[in-house]
């Protein structure tokens, strides 16, 4: 090796400011609170940008899963939602929870559960036997999982004569799929209560037993008919429509959103930003691209966008093929409260622009 190359090598070792592979910060499954098994995933390391708090995936029940990015700006609201959930369950002082499907923790976020003083564990394997073993040994106060899986597990507990060894007064927190109503009677025979949790990886938990968990949730008319409403969180449509009824949710008669009676909205709403409190249109244009990329929601910018407005104003327009925004009926969502999640995404965009991490080996300029 020449003296010149040796000098470069020594300088890299002594003065190098860019990390080596071993020096890079890492975020593993345990760091995200999801260090449990599933039969539907492979564990893969990936280079995640610093501006994302963590990555997760949608469940992909009818199509390929979407990758989801959760930003740091969203975490305070996820923590507030977690506190609201466990407050409604009368577990404000903390709880011991058994998680049957690790990705459900990502809908909370690890930080949100820790902020609510919740400790949690995962199954050794994704199976009913593993659930029964963990429930009997660990005696959790809460079991989080898919309702049909929980119902089948309780039936198996009875068949195996394990009822007396199961935890007492457990809360079954059902999520991921529409509630299996047969679970309610089965759970009651064990002295358990059932709660129906609705949300998604993109936006977190949104409703418990038919009652909203956030103050920026709107229910707007749905193309599915008069009895249906589309759920919009912070100005961004979920793509899910629900029957809304004064009769109430089976788990809480005060809850009017019948989350176990849901269907995909068609055509889905697209969002058009007409007014923004931001001073520059460029910030909103970048935020719209970010929302498409990490939340899979279509946000368009009005050519007549008003910047520096007193409040944000969004219009929801059905995304009809061959139709135009002018011809479709618009639904207006106006801030500040009703657009809070949208504003969080705009703030995340500002944070990225002001604190972006770059790599000297990736130069986009010419």
């Amino acid at each position: 090796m020449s003296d010149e190359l040796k000098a470069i090598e020594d300088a890299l070792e002594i003065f190098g400011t860019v990390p080596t592979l071993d020096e890079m910060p890492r975020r593993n499954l345990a760091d995200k609170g999801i260090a449990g098994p599933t039969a539907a995933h492979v564990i893969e390391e990936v280079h995640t940008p610093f501006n994302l708090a963590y990555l997760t995936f949608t469940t992909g029940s009818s199509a390929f899963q979407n990758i989801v990015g959760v930003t740091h700006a969203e975490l305070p609201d996820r923590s507030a939602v977690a506190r609201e959930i466990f407050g409604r369950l009368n577990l404000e002082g903390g709880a011991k929870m058994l998680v049957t499907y690790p990705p459900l923790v990502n809908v909370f976020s690890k930080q949100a559960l820790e902020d609510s003083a919740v400790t949690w564990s995962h199954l050794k394997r994704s199976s009913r036997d593993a659930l029964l073993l963990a429930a009997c040994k660990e005696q959790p106060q809460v079991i989080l999982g898919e309702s049909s899986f929980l119902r089948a597990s309780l039936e198996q507990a009875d068949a195996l004569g394990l009822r007396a060894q199961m935890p007492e007064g457990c809360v079954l927190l059902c999520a991921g799929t529409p509630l299996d109503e047969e679970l309610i009677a089965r759970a009651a025979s064990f002295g358990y209560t059932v709660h129906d949790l609705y949300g998604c990886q993109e936006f977190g938990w949104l409703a418990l037993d038919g009652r909203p968990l956030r103050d920026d949730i709107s229910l707007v008319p749905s193309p599915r008919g008069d009895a249906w409403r589309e759920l919009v969180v912070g100005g961004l449509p979920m793509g899910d429509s629900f029957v809304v009824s004064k009769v109430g949710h089976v788990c809480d008669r005060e809850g009017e959103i019948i989350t176990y009676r849901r269907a995909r909205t068609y055509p889905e709403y697209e969002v058009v930003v007409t007014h923004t409190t931001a001073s520059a249109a460029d910030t909103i244009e970048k935020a719209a691209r970010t929302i498409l990329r990490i939340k899979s929601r279509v946000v368009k910018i009005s050519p007549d966008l008003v910047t520096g407005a007193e409040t944000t104003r969004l219009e929801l327009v059905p995304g009809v093929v061959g139709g135009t925004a002018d011809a479709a009926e618009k639904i207006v969502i106006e801030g500040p409260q009703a657009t809070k999640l949208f504003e969080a995404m705009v703030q995340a965009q500002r944070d990225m622009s002001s604190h972006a991490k770059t790599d000297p080996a990736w130069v986009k300029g010419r």
Side-chain angles (χ1 to χ4, degrees):
M1 182 185 296
S2 68
D3 291 343
E4 292 81 4
L5 282 178
K6 184 65 169 64
I8 291 174
E9 183 180 49
D10 291 343
L12 279 173
E13 290 296 323
I14 299 171
F15 303 113
T17 58
V18 180
T20 65
L21 178 63
D22 290 337
E23 294 168 343
M24 288 183 67
R26 294 177 181 272
R27 185 185 299 143
N28 58 29
L29 295 183
D31 294 326
K32 296 166 68 174
I34 57 171
T38 88
H41 298 83
V42 61
I43 298 171
E44 177 180 358
E45 288 190 296
V46 62
H47 289 85
T48 301
F50 277 103
N51 46 282
L52 292 174
Y54 58 92
L55 294 177
T56 185
F57 284 84
T58 62
T59 55
S61 53
S62 60
F64 268 85
Q65 299 87 342
N66 285 341
I67 193 166
V68 173
V70 178
T71 66
H72 296 280
E74 297 171 75
L75 295 181
D77 283 334
R78 294 207 178 200
S79 288
V81 165
R83 289 192 295 271
E84 180 68 17
I85 290 170
F86 290 100
R88 292 189 194 178
L89 299 179
N90 296 316
L91 295 169
E92 299 95 332
K96 183 178 181 181
M97 182 167 70
L98 179 61
V99 178
T100 64
Y101 188 66
L104 291 174
V105 171
N106 282 336
V107 190
F108 285 100
S109 85
K110 181 185 179 188
Q111 177 181 315
L113 289 176
E114 290 176 340
D115 288 347
S116 297
V118 174
T119 59
W120 66 100
S121 61
H122 300 281
L123 304 183
K124 185 174 183 179
R125 298 182 187 275
S126 292
S127 69
R128 294 196 297 271
D129 287 344
L131 170 57
L132 296 179
L133 178 63
C136 292
K137 291 180 66 175
E138 298 177 23
Q139 298 290 299
Q141 295 164 276
V142 180
I143 300 177
L144 173 65
E146 192 269 334
S147 58
S148 292
F149 175 68
L150 297 181
R151 174 185 53 76
S153 297
L154 293 184
E155 290 171 352
Q156 183 169 324
D158 265 340
L160 295 175
L162 296 175
R163 178 183 285 258
Q165 300 180 61
M166 293 287 283
E168 295 183 3
C170 201
V171 171
L172 303 184
L173 198 50
C174 302
T177 59
L179 179 67
D180 182 343
E181 296 176 66
E182 293 181 14
L183 170 64
I184 297 173
R186 175 66 63 173
S189 73
F190 279 73
Y192 294 172
T193 57
V194 174
H195 294 276
D196 183 21
L197 193 54
Y198 168 78
C200 64
Q201 295 286 353
E202 296 97 317
F203 305 129
W205 300 117
L206 303 175
L208 179 66
D209 299 337
R211 294 166 55 199
L213 286 164
R214 297 174 56 117
D215 60 8
D216 59 349
I217 287 178
S218 305
L219 295 172
V220 304
S222 168
R224 299 197 69 89
D226 292 340
W228 296 78
R229 292 293 182 269
E230 161 90 4
L231 193 148
V232 178
V233 54
L236 299 175
M238 282 296 302
D240 280 339
S241 289
F242 303 91
V243 171
V244 174
S245 173
K246 295 290 185 182
V247 173
H249 191 288
V250 68
C251 294
D252 183 347
R253 293 305 176 187
E254 292 185 9
E256 296 182 1
I257 308 171
I258 314 304
T259 44
Y260 48 93
R261 296 281 184 270
R262 69 178 183 253
R264 293 300 294 174
T265 304
Y266 184 82
E268 292 191 24
Y269 284 111
E270 296 178 350
V271 180
V272 179
V273 186
T274 63
H275 294 68
T276 176
T277 57
S279 58
D282 181 63
T283 300
I284 303 303
E285 291 167 357
K286 290 178 179 177
R289 291 198 294 273
T290 292
I291 292 169
L292 176 62
R293 291 171 179 174
I294 69 173
K295 304 298 185 184
S296 302
R297 296 299 185 272
V298 176
V299 176
K300 298 179 178 179
I301 311 301
S302 169
D304 301 317
L305 176 68
V306 176
T307 58
E310 186 175 338
T311 59
T312 295
R313 182 186 172 104
L314 309 175
E315 293 181 351
L316 306 186
V317 182
V320 181
V321 176
T324 64
D326 291 336
E329 183 179 352
K330 300 179 178 66
I331 296 171
V332 175
I333 306 291
E334 188 159 356
Q337 179 172 301
T339 60
K340 188 163 67 172
L341 180 58
F342 177 80
E343 302 291 3
M345 298 306 302
V346 173
Q347 184 58 49
Q349 185 61 50
R350 290 194 186 100
D351 294 342
M352 176 185 175
S353 299
S354 59
H355 304 293
K357 297 284 187 179
T358 59
D359 190 291
W362 189 254
V363 181
K364 293 187 177 181
R366 291 291 185 271

